[in-house]
Structures are given as structure tokens and as C-alpha cells.
Amino acid sequence: MVKFLPLKEAVAENLHDGDTVAFEGFTHLIPTAAAHEAIRQGFRDLTLIRMTPDLIYDQMIGMGMARKVVFSYVGNPGVGLLRRARDAIENGFPRAIEVEEHSHAGMANAYEAGAAGLPCAVFRGYRGAGLAAVNPNIKSVTCPFTGEVLAAVPAIRPDVTFIHAQKADRKGNVLVEGIIGIQKEAALAAKRAVVTVEEVVDNFDDLHPNLTVLPSWTIAAISVVPGGSHPSYTHGYYERDNAAYLEWDEIAADRDRFQAWIRKNVIESSADDFAGRVEHLRKAA
């Protein structure tokens, strides 16, 4: 049964050292507040999964939390590199990490297979690319009906998935609007799903029936964290903070400056601080 919990408790109850975890969001609705709470609690040896790792995974990798990263793109969107991730991959700082790279199509299909309870995903993909040569989890199978050779990858089944969304109702159902990426499938594929939301409303009776709603029985915990996806955006609430992404490139380029930023903005901060960070972005939304 879904629980409404403060974010600190929701993370402590559902994330553990050594877990395979997805903090999913595709440009939109990135669960930054949840990732920062995980950093504060100091988890170790995590396998981080995400189609598009950006700032939050750069921060978690830079804090030595990751053992492995499974991804289909690593970068600071619209800016360039993830410098803490690159330092870990190239120099083993602050620790060496294992990497498993896929295509977007491969990751999306793997999440869908996990959500369906299937062992693997089979699809047309990786043709003309070299990823299969460096990733042993990319296989090929022959269709028993047509003889076509297809790609196959293991299903993604995280121990826990964290996502951000617009609203939950008082029964624990969650509404996701706008660009939803693979958040729905990532939540359904996980053993446990934790959702941060902008607000809780009485019900969804006045909303269109075709909106994406995750029913309460798919969710372990909900935490109300206004502004919880900053510096990404939440459709209908606040715009993307483009300046923060530009600034991050300079912060992450220096190991000492990175540590100072984490100490001030994560370790000595809390989930309650996110609401103030998006006030100047609300009018634009």
C-alpha cells in the first residue's frame, strides 16, 4: 500500500547500498530532490540506470556512490560533457565505475520488457553501430516465424525507481503530464517506485481520462516536494533553469569546486529548499 512520507523517510525505506536504481526523467520531470536526498544519506555501490544521465548522475558519480552506470546517453543537455562522470571513467576518481552503453531504443524496449515481466526485449536495433562489440548484453536472435535477425537485451528491473510528477491524489494515484519519457515504464518495471510530486489534490475527477496516471498499487511511497525537479522543469509549474546547466559545466570541471558546491547545495540543504529555487521560473511556465 502506498505511503505518503517525507522524502528523507521515503528514500531511507526504499533505497539500499548495492541496489540497482533508476532516477528517470527525459529532460522533463527529473527527480533531482530524490537524488540529492540519496547523496545526503550516503549510499554506496549503486548500479545507476537511466536513458539520459545528466547532472544528478554526475553528482552521484562524483560522490563515489556508483559501482556501475547503465545508460544510452551521458551528457549535460545542450552544454556538453558530464565532467565528474568522465573523471570516474577515465581516471577512476573518486572510484572506478563500470559502464554499460545502449541505444535509446534499446533502453526503452528493456524498460518496457521489465514492466511487462518479460526476461528480455526483442526489437530491430543496433544495426550499423558498434555497441554490440563492447556490450556483451546486446545479443541477436532469429525470429522463429520470419527468420529475421533481431537485437535482444535483458529486461531492466530496478530494485527501485524514483520519478517526479505533477500531482498525486489522496488515494495515492499519480498524474504525469507533458513529456513523460520512459518514467511510466521505469516505475512499472521496478520492485519499488518512489514518486516526488508538486502537490496533492483531492481527486482527478476533472482531468482528461487519457492522461498518464500511475495507480496507487504501483507505488511504494509519495513525497510532496514542490520544485523537486529543478533545474529541469515541471510542465505547468515552472520552466527549465538553463543557467543552472551552463553553470554546472564550470562547477563540475574542478574537483574541489564540485565538492564545495555539493556541501553547500546538497549536504547542508534539504528538500524544503527546492520550492525557493523555482520561484523565478514559475511565471514563465
Side-chain angles (χ1 to χ4, degrees), residues 272-283:
D272 295 335
D273 296 323
F274 275 84
R277 296 173 187 173
V278 299
E279 279 306 311
H280 68 293
L281 302 166
R282 289 190 185 278
K283 290 182 179 179

Side-chain angles (χ1 to χ4, degrees), residues 198-222:
E198 294 292 325
E199 61 176 327
V200 174
V201 298
D202 288 336
N203 55 62
F204 296 152
D205 291 350
D206 59 340
L207 299 176
H208 194 284
N210 286 341
L211 291 170
T212 299
V213 175
L214 291 168
S216 60
W217 52 267
T218 67
I219 300 164
I222 295 171

Side-chain angles (χ1 to χ4, degrees), residues 175-257:
L175 170 71
V176 187
E177 294 183 281
I179 298 173
I180 62 171
I182 203 71
Q183 284 99 310
K184 177 183 72 174
E185 290 82 359
L188 296 177
K191 297 175 184 175
R192 303 176 297 279
V194 177
V195 186
T196 54
V197 296
E198 294 292 325
E199 61 176 327
V200 174
V201 298
D202 288 336
N203 55 62
F204 296 152
D205 291 350
D206 59 340
L207 299 176
H208 194 284
N210 286 341
L211 291 170
T212 299
V213 175
L214 291 168
S216 60
W217 52 267
T218 67
I219 300 164
I222 295 171
S223 300
V224 181
V225 187
S229 69
H230 179 268
S232 76
Y233 72 101
T234 295
H235 173 70
Y237 288 81
Y238 45 88
E239 291 286 339
R240 187 178 190 266
D241 191 347
N242 292 317
Y245 286 87
L246 291 169
E247 183 183 21
W248 181 253
D249 189 55
E250 297 181 1
I251 293 166
D254 183 84
R255 292 175 179 176
D256 292 335
R257 186 175 177 185

Side-chain angles (χ1 to χ4, degrees), residues 19 137 148 173 236 256 265 285:
D19 272 357
N137 277 332
E148 181 180 3
N173 304 302
D256 292 335
N265 295 282

